[in-house]
Amino acid sequence: MSPDLIGYGAAILTTAAFVPQALKSWSSRDLSGVSLSMYSLFTLGVALWLLYGIVLQSWPIILANCVTLVLAGLVLGLKISHLRRK
Amino acid sequence: MSPDLIGYGAAILTTAAFVPQALKSWSSRDLSGVSLSMYSLFTLGVALWLLYGIVLQSWPIILANCVTLVLAGLVLGLKISHLRRK
């Protein structure tokens, strides 16, 4: 099994896991159960993984973290606008 | 900035993000708001990232995913035992 195939499998699974959360937050706009500190740490961490993937020239790391950055960033943005509205 | 330093920064942030969730699930034993499909996909994905890190011999990927695998696996295990008790 090639390393890239393992990486793409890993990337698809950990990215797919965030899709239901992002969809739920987007459609319900109910962000009360979502932790601001978790998503702040996570979004910043994903941005660093993206940079690490670029330095390593690892496409599975780059692609996975591009998509996860959009999804986690969306949840974080909704959470911040939810806090501002209160 | 060395690649490993970026990788360790990324690893610490995305791993730390799961600590509050794991602690909350462990102490409250309230798993109703946790999605079984999200944690099943995520735990399997993290196991594949660990394998990818071993193949690439990348210590940031290996260490981050070892810790995240324990945290995500703990939440998944609590969720499964929560479903069985119902």
Side-chain angles (χ1 to χ4, degrees):
Chain A
M1 207 170 172
S2 86
D4 271 8
L5 208 65
I6 300 170
Y8 280 116
I12 290 168
L13 289 169
T14 52
T15 302
F18 282 90
V19 173
Q21 178 64 63
L23 283 177
K24 188 168 180 269
S25 297
W26 180 259
S27 59
S28 71
R29 302 288 162 126
D30 173 13
L31 277 293
S32 56
V34 166
S35 158
L36 177 66
S37 56
M38 173 181 165
Y39 272 87
S40 303
L41 289 174
F42 194 76
T43 305
L44 193 62
V46 169
L48 280 186
W49 276 123
L50 179 58
L51 190 63
Y52 184 66
I54 292 168
V55 174
L56 252 64
Q57 296 185 293
S58 158
W59 279 104
I61 298 179
I62 294 169
L63 293 175
N65 287 291
C66 272
V67 179
T68 312
L69 188 61
V70 171
L71 295 171
L74 175 72
V75 175
L76 181 63
L78 288 169
K79 178 68 186 178
I80 291 168
S81 80
H82 172 85
L83 289 172
R84 282 200 179 153
R85 277 201 313 276
K86 283 211 292 195
Chain B
M1 206 170 172
S2 86
D4 271 9
L5 209 64
I6 299 170
Y8 280 116
I12 289 167
L13 289 168
T14 53
T15 302
F18 282 89
V19 172
Q21 178 65 63
L23 283 178
K24 189 169 181 263
S25 297
W26 179 259
S27 59
S28 71
R29 302 290 161 125
D30 173 13
L31 277 291
S32 56
V34 166
S35 158
L36 177 66
S37 55
M38 173 181 165
Y39 272 87
S40 303
L41 289 174
F42 194 77
T43 306
L44 192 61
V46 170
L48 279 185
W49 276 123
L50 179 58
L51 190 62
Y52 183 67
I54 292 167
V55 173
L56 250 65
Q57 296 184 292
S58 157
W59 279 104
I61 299 178
I62 294 170
L63 293 175
N65 287 290
C66 272
V67 179
T68 313
L69 188 62
V70 171
L71 295 172
L74 175 72
V75 175
L76 181 64
L78 287 169
K79 176 69 186 179
I80 291 169
S81 81
H82 172 86
L83 289 172
R84 282 200 178 153
R85 275 202 314 275
K86 283 210 292 192

